[in-house]
Amino acid sequence: ANNNQWKYDVLEARSLATISAVEIIAKWLPRLLEVAIAAREDEKRRAARVTARGTAAKDHQLTPFEVFLDNVAPTVTRLIEHASFCGLGSAPRGSGMDIVMTFGKKSPDKLRQLLKSPLPPSQSSRVGKELAAMVEVLGQSSITLDKLKPLPGEPSSGNIYTMSPLDNSRTLGEQSVMTIERRRCIYAFDICARGCSSRATGSGKFDADALLTCLRTLSEELTRPEQCAGEVEKGCELVIRKCCDGLASYVRDRGDAARLSAVAECAEVLSNRMRDVRREIGYLTNNAEAVEEVMMEDIMGLEGAMFDEFLDSIRSSAASCCRMGWLDQKTDLSKEMPSDSPSMGFPPYLSASLLAIVRCRAQVEQALGTKVRHPQGVSYQHIAIATAAEGVAEGICEQIQQRKMTLKVRQADRLANEMQFLIN
């Protein structure tokens, strides 16, 4: 009772039953149509001989079209209903599609629920390809079947057929293929989103290549991409959102290096990967620009938040380096000091400030190189150094503001010279 192997066996049996039903249709429907076409040609020749002899025709016999309509088409319909039920299990909510349960109606609840559940992704993908091939066979057969219809003036049962007897079956097959391919998109993007989220959370990697691979695979496998446009658009947005959430989680409780790493990942995607992603989306949907805009907003939102936090951190760090302790020293400034006096050496606060700017530059250069920030068109390095310099200036101004009431003339002259040096 605790063994669940029977569940996997049931799902496998459903996929095999679908494939078998498709094989029967693909093998025998064209052959039956060939027989019907031959019978139709023989019927025409027989009718021509009767007309030439001027003899009366015998009692009305069923035409090949009527035989196909009464005997073959219902069987084909039942086979397609069986294939659709085995392949889909049940119709999606709100689809308006009617899936007939062809067997297992009186089975136990657990088995009945398993029969009506969707197939796993791998089996669903395999079944979808088979059903797509079946729809092609039905389309070709429907065209051939139109040739069997009685011509005006020929004897018939009196019914007027405006549609091919296989049109309803073909519609059901088409709906089944669309449903499976939509599920295929949902499965693919869900797996991709979970994988990307895991890599972003664990190692801080924005894996846009995984999304690119997913789109290329779907582009190759989907037979009706225009019917799956909504799933493709939502799936792309989901993957990007999960990547951004994962990166935000990775950076949380980490320092500036992690923030810069996240910014570098976003910058790489924005500058190099989004172009390829947009091109692949364009193969699957006509709404690629709107999807790209939504994804860019998410990525730029994360990049902006991370880089702003980094800039705030370096601004604060640079400002804290500006400690003008010499202004508080009790020194007799009326005496002339020699030029080589230690107290007149290079100011420590300027050394610390310049080192803070150099360190900031090294951090940004290591993480981002010469990358340009989108859409400002200015390099990250330039923005970071400018922010660090602003922090230094703000720190110095704050120190001077605190002591401006006690500042001596000579101290003011020295500060003016040092500020000029810093500006230069």
Side-chain angles (χ1 to χ4, degrees):
N2 295 327
N3 187 8
N4 291 325
Q5 183 60 40
W6 68 274
K7 296 182 179 179
Y8 299 105
D9 293 341
V10 169
L11 294 173
E12 181 65 18
R14 281 176 53 190
S15 63
L16 293 176
T18 304
I19 294 173
S20 298
V22 172
E23 289 177 349
I24 292 173
I25 294 174
K27 179 179 180 179
W28 289 105
L29 185 56
R31 294 185 181 185
L32 290 172
L33 283 170
E34 289 177 3
V35 173
I37 290 293
R40 174 63 172 156
E41 294 300 325
D42 183 67
E43 183 183 60
K44 290 179 180 180
R45 288 192 295 269
R46 190 167 55 250
R49 286 196 298 268
V50 170
T51 303
R53 293 173 184 174
T55 57
K58 297 180 180 180
D59 295 338
H60 174 70
Q61 295 180 350
L62 291 176
T63 63
F65 182 78
E66 291 169 339
V67 171
F68 205 94
L69 180 67
D70 295 337
N71 299 323
V72 179
T75 303
V76 172
T77 300
R78 286 195 294 272
L79 269 174
I80 293 174
E81 289 177 347
H82 182 65
S84 299
F85 172 66
C86 292
L88 296 179
S90 59
R93 294 180 181 178
S95 64
M97 186 180 176
D98 184 22
I99 299 295
V100 178
M101 192 173 186
T102 55
F103 69 98
K105 296 179 181 179
K106 296 182 180 180
S107 59
D109 290 342
K110 287 186 177 180
L111 178 57
R112 189 163 61 251
Q113 291 176 2
L114 189 62
L115 291 174
K116 297 178 71 173
S117 64
L119 289 173
S122 59
Q123 294 175 339
S124 180
S125 178
R126 180 175 59 173
V127 165
K129 294 177 182 178
E130 296 292 334
L131 289 176
M134 180 192 71
V135 171
E136 291 183 7
V137 172
L138 289 173
Q140 296 171 358
S141 300
S142 181
I143 295 173
T144 304
L145 188 56
D146 287 337
K147 300 177 182 178
L148 299 178
K149 291 181 179 181
L151 298 174
E154 291 184 341
S156 65
S157 60
N159 293 330
I160 298 176
Y161 307 102
T162 57
M163 294 178 60
S164 169
L166 296 178
D167 282 351
N168 290 334
S169 300
R170 183 185 177 188
T171 300
L172 177 59
E174 189 76 32
Q175 290 176 336
S176 301
V177 173
M178 288 190 297
T179 301
I180 287 180
E181 293 199 340
R182 285 170 180 168
R183 288 177 180 175
R184 172 81 177 91
C185 290
I186 294 172
Y187 292 149
F189 284 116
D190 181 64
I191 293 172
C192 181
R194 284 190 277 113
C196 290
S197 177
S198 176
R199 286 185 286 275
T201 304
S203 59
K205 179 175 176 58
F206 199 124
D207 196 1
D209 288 336
L211 175 58
L212 198 59
T213 302
C214 179
L215 288 169
R216 286 172 177 168
T217 302
L218 290 175
S219 182
E220 294 173 358
E221 294 183 353
L222 294 180
T223 60
R224 291 154 180 79
E226 67 281 354
Q227 302 295 334
C228 305
E231 286 71 20
V232 171
E233 294 167 10
K234 293 177 182 177
C236 291
E237 295 170 8
L238 173 67
V239 172
I240 294 298
R241 194 172 301 116
K242 288 294 184 180
C243 285
C244 292
D245 292 343
L247 274 179
S249 177
Y250 172 79
V251 171
R252 192 175 299 120
D253 300 328
R254 284 184 168 91
D256 290 343
R259 294 189 184 95
L260 272 183
S261 175
V263 172
E265 291 289 328
C266 293
E268 174 67 20
V269 173
L270 289 171
S271 59
N272 297 327
R273 290 290 179 268
M274 284 305 297
R275 192 182 307 109
D276 297 332
V277 170
R278 185 191 183 283
R279 184 182 63 251
E280 294 298 329
I281 294 175
Y283 296 148
L284 298 170
T285 175
N286 295 325
N287 201 25
E289 292 184 2
V291 178
E292 181 188 24
E293 184 178 350
V294 173
M295 293 190 297
M296 293 282 281
E297 286 180 0
D298 289 339
I299 299 172
M300 291 173 63
L302 175 66
E303 182 267 350
M306 293 296 103
F307 198 53
D308 287 346
E309 288 181 10
F310 172 75
L311 294 180
D312 290 341
S313 175
I314 62 171
R315 181 184 285 109
S316 175
S317 175
S320 66
C321 295
C322 304
R323 298 289 184 233
M324 298 181 181
W326 64 270
L327 290 176
D328 300 323
Q329 292 178 359
K330 303 295 185 180
T331 306
D332 188 1
L333 297 175
S334 60
K335 298 179 179 181
E336 191 70 26
M337 293 185 181
S339 59
D340 58 349
S341 174
S343 61
M344 296 296 291
F346 193 81
Y349 78 94
L350 283 183
S351 299
S353 301
L354 294 175
L355 284 174
I357 296 175
V358 172
R359 178 175 178 271
C360 167
R361 175 178 178 175
Q363 281 183 302
V364 178
E365 187 174 9
Q366 182 180 8
L368 291 157
T370 58
K371 284 187 174 66
V372 176
R373 191 178 190 188
H374 182 86
Q376 292 176 263
V378 181
S379 68
Y380 287 94
Q381 192 176 117
H382 175 82
I383 297 173
I385 294 175
T387 303
E390 289 175 3
V392 170
E394 290 173 1
I396 293 175
C397 290
E398 183 179 357
Q399 293 285 310
I400 295 175
Q401 187 70 20
Q402 293 174 357
R403 297 170 175 82
K404 67 178 182 179
M405 300 303 295
T406 59
L407 204 61
K408 303 294 190 296
V409 175
R410 189 164 183 173
Q411 290 176 323
D413 292 339
R414 178 178 173 180
L415 275 176
N417 293 332
E418 292 171 356
M419 292 304 98
Q420 188 62 47
F421 167 81
L422 184 61
I423 292 172
N424 293 337

